């Protein structure tokens, strides 16, 4: 699930953002290896009693995803706001760097473009609040994932 899933959709999104005077603030690539994906989806099959999560189906979906979405990843990886994160880690370990980058951008906006930096004194509740906003999107990462945030939030 998600958008964009093809290179043509990614290019179209850029056109739409440009027309509306918006830009992509963050691109998070959650890199998960194939074995971890299979393991997670097999657990989901048991937990959610899903009949459509056979190993054969998982591998077919993965291969299709890699074929159609890999060009999107290559397209966005040139963006300076592109961040690769190890998606095989625990949810808390994944959400923290995402939340920190997200919070840093919000702090920069709040300070009207001046450089805002996260320090040890930055209240941890801000990062925690941002993490909670992201956790629902990261409960089960089935496949490699590209998450894109724009300044239209």
């Amino acid at each position: 699930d998600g958008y964009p899933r093809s290179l043509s959709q990614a290019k179209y999104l850029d056109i739409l953002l440009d027309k509306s005077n918006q830009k992509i603030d963050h691109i998070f690539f959650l890199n998960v290896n194939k074995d971890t994906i299979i393991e997670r989806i097999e657990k989901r099959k048991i937990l959610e009693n899903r009949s459509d999560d056979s190993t054969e189906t998982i591998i077919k979906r993965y291969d299709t995803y890699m074929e159609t979405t890999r060009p999107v990843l290559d397209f966005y990886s040139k963006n300076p706001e592109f961040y690769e994160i190890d998606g095989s880690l625990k949810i808390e370990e994944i959400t923290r760097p995402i939340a920190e980058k997200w919070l840093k951008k919000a702090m920069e906006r709040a300070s009207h473009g001046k450089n805002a930096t996260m320090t040890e004194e930055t209240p941890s509740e801000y990062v925690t609040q941002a993490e909670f906003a992201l956790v629902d999107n990261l409960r089960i990462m089935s496949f490699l994932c590209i998450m894109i945030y724009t300044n239209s939030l």
Side-chain angles (χ1 to χ4, degrees):
D1 296 339
Y3 183 89
R5 294 182 69 159
S6 68
L7 187 54
S8 62
Q9 288 177 345
K11 290 178 179 181
Y12 184 68
L13 177 62
D14 273 2
I15 292 168
L16 289 176
L17 291 172
D18 190 47
K19 283 183 179 180
S20 62
N21 200 30
Q22 296 184 55
K23 67 179 185 70
I24 294 173
D25 288 334
H26 301 96
I27 302 165
F28 298 106
F29 168 48
L30 306 180
N31 192 351
V32 184
N33 68 49
K34 192 173 188 176
D35 292 336
T36 302
I37 290 167
I38 292 170
E39 179 184 317
R40 287 180 178 176
I41 295 177
E42 286 176 346
K43 285 181 185 177
R44 179 180 76 177
K45 177 183 179 177
I46 294 166
L47 291 172
E48 298 180 11
N49 197 23
R50 292 179 57 136
S51 60
D52 63 331
D53 281 341
S54 69
T55 303
E56 181 181 299
T57 302
I58 295 166
I59 292 169
K60 183 178 177 183
R61 280 191 230 144
Y62 177 86
D63 292 342
T64 300
Y65 181 89
M66 289 305 292
E67 182 180 314
T68 60
T69 307
R70 186 69 197 198
V72 176
L73 176 62
D74 294 339
F75 178 76
Y76 283 119
S77 67
K78 298 172 183 100
N79 187 304
E81 300 302 328
F82 177 89
Y83 305 98
E84 182 171 343
I85 296 171
D86 183 355
S88 65
L89 300 173
K90 294 179 181 178
I91 289 173
E92 301 79 25
E93 295 170 304
I94 296 168
T95 57
R96 180 153 297 274
I98 294 171
E100 288 173 352
K101 289 182 184 351
W102 200 357
L103 179 61
K104 181 178 181 191
K105 184 68 77 173
M107 291 172 64
E108 287 173 359
R109 282 205 186 103
S111 64
H112 306 291
K114 297 176 187 149
N115 276 341
T117 56
M118 300 251 328
T119 66
E120 292 298 320
E121 291 79 38
T122 302
S124 61
E125 65 265 16
Y126 292 137
V127 175
T128 303
Q129 288 171 2
E131 286 176 351
F132 283 131
L134 294 168
V135 165
D136 285 337
N137 293 325
L138 301 174
R139 288 252 180 245
I140 297 176
M141 285 171 291
S142 302
F143 292 98
L144 302 175
C145 178
I146 300 171
M147 297 186 335
I148 300 171
Y149 294 95
T150 70
N151 60 3
S152 63
L153 297 176

